Amino acid sequence: MVAAFEKASGKKIPLKMCPRRPGDATAVYASTDKAEKELGWKAKYGIEEMCRDLWNWTSKNPWGYQGKH
């Protein structure tokens, strides 16, 4: 994820590896298989496209949906 956001933003993201905190998941996995089987929905894009689109939107809307205060 960090590498994908770095690529999308063109910026180096500072990263500090620390021990897990109590309650943190050991590993996290995701799959769209269940959504495809049960809902007929299939992902068209991957992580890099998601990060690119999020970065583009956030760059153009730094205050989010609220607009400038």
Side-chain angles (χ1 to χ4, degrees), residues 44-63:
K44 290 188 214 177
Y45 306 106
I47 296 298
E48 287 191 0
E49 293 88 358
M50 186 245 352
C51 292
R52 179 201 63 212
D53 292 347
L54 177 60
W55 179 257
N56 286 338
W57 189 89
T58 304
S59 297
K60 294 173 186 169
N61 302 280
W63 294 277

Side-chain angles (χ1 to χ4, degrees), residues 3-64:
F5 271 109
E6 286 180 336
K7 182 177 179 181
S9 67
K11 299 177 183 291
K12 180 73 176 150
I13 297 173
L15 182 64
K16 182 178 178 182
M17 300 299 284
C18 299
R20 281 196 334 261
R21 301 165 297 181
D24 282 350
T26 303
V28 178
Y29 300 91
S31 172
T32 58
D33 291 343
K34 187 173 182 178
E36 186 175 357
K37 287 176 191 169
E38 293 186 13
L39 304 173
W41 179 86
K42 185 163 177 63
K44 290 188 214 177
Y45 306 106
I47 296 298
E48 287 191 0
E49 293 88 358
M50 186 245 352
C51 292
R52 179 201 63 212
D53 292 347
L54 177 60
W55 179 257
N56 286 338
W57 189 89
T58 304
S59 297
K60 294 173 186 169
N61 302 280
W63 294 277

